[in-house]
Amino acid sequence: MDHAGAVAVGQLLVATQPGRGGYFDRTVVLIIERQSDAGGGATVGLCLNVMSEIPVGNVLSDYTDLMSPPVRVFEGGPVNQDVVVALGEPASLESPPPGWERISGDIGVVDVNYPSELLASSFTQLRVFVGLSAWSPGQLEGELIRGSWFRTQVRSEDVFGDPDGLWRRVLRRMGGTTGRWSSWTDDPSMN
């Protein structure tokens, strides 16, 4: 489902125009925060398919046993590389643990100070990110108008599933003209 309405928490931004290079080439970004403003608010997201070279043990090592494969730290984006964000799926949606803030469905932000001894009984899946993707007020709206992103709703498998091929899988799921982008190849004669 394509979104033509307002940018909102829980939406995915799927990069268009592959092959141009740059940080966001073929990325899928989950919007985790949106500040409302008449001209378009500030927006914060996390890249779901860019893995970091930072060793897992260097960032929230207590989370390692519950991290969804691949057990790696992900780059949330090129902004604020000292910020750590954890996304998690609670063991019970009926009584989610304190320190968990819902983004969409069973996906939420986990307080990184959550007691490590309670992690295994509170969450079934975790993913850890360093850095953020962020847009100042009106910036993301401008990028959407220029056609830099497609939008769709996030699913749990987008966050906690295999990051390899995520860009293509999300585009195929969106279907229609947008879905055709999933067949893009580095050889221009094949596109």
Side-chain angles (χ1 to χ4, degrees):
M1 149 172 110
D2 266 337
H3 285 276
V7 174
V9 168
Q11 287 179 351
L12 291 179
L13 299 174
V14 184
T16 63
Q17 304 171 356
R20 288 189 149 181
Y23 188 87
F24 292 105
D25 189 23
R26 289 177 262 195
T27 59
V28 178
V29 178
L30 171 62
I31 297 175
I32 63 168
E33 185 179 326
R34 175 77 174 160
Q35 298 170 354
S36 296
D37 186 297
T43 306
V44 177
L46 297 170
C47 284
L48 299 178
N49 59 337
V50 179
M51 288 186 264
S52 172
E53 295 300 319
I54 297 173
V56 174
N58 290 10
V59 183
L60 300 178
S61 59
D62 294 339
Y63 285 52
T64 304
D65 291 342
L66 290 173
M67 288 172 66
S68 301
V71 179
R72 299 272 307 268
V73 174
F74 284 71
E75 286 187 24
V79 178
N80 293 342
Q81 290 288 308
D82 56 338
V83 171
V84 177
V85 177
L87 294 180
E89 180 181 325
S92 169
L93 277 176
E94 290 78 38
S95 56
W100 180 79
E101 184 179 335
R102 184 185 312 272
I103 297 296
S104 179
D106 55 359
I107 304 160
V109 175
V110 178
D111 180 349
V112 294
N113 296 311
Y114 195 80
S116 59
E117 62 274 8
L118 299 177
L119 283 170
S121 62
S122 301
F123 298 97
T124 58
Q125 301 188 91
L126 293 168
R127 185 110 330 137
V128 176
F129 301 83
V130 293
L132 303 168
S133 298
W135 294 264
S136 60
Q139 183 182 6
L140 180 56
E141 287 74 12
E143 291 180 15
L144 290 166
I145 289 168
R146 287 189 301 277
S148 298
W149 302 98
F150 296 117
R151 286 185 290 158
T152 192
Q153 197 62 30
V154 68
R155 293 182 181 174
S156 182
E157 62 264 25
D158 301 331
V159 176
F160 303 112
D162 185 358
D164 289 334
L166 179 62
W167 181 78
R168 291 183 191 284
R169 286 194 309 275
V170 173
L171 288 169
R172 275 193 297 272
R173 177 177 83 217
M174 292 174 74
T177 309
T178 304
R180 291 184 193 150
W181 282 88
S182 69
S183 63
W184 185 87
T185 166
D186 288 324
D187 180 356
S189 68
M190 301 293 290
N191 290 322

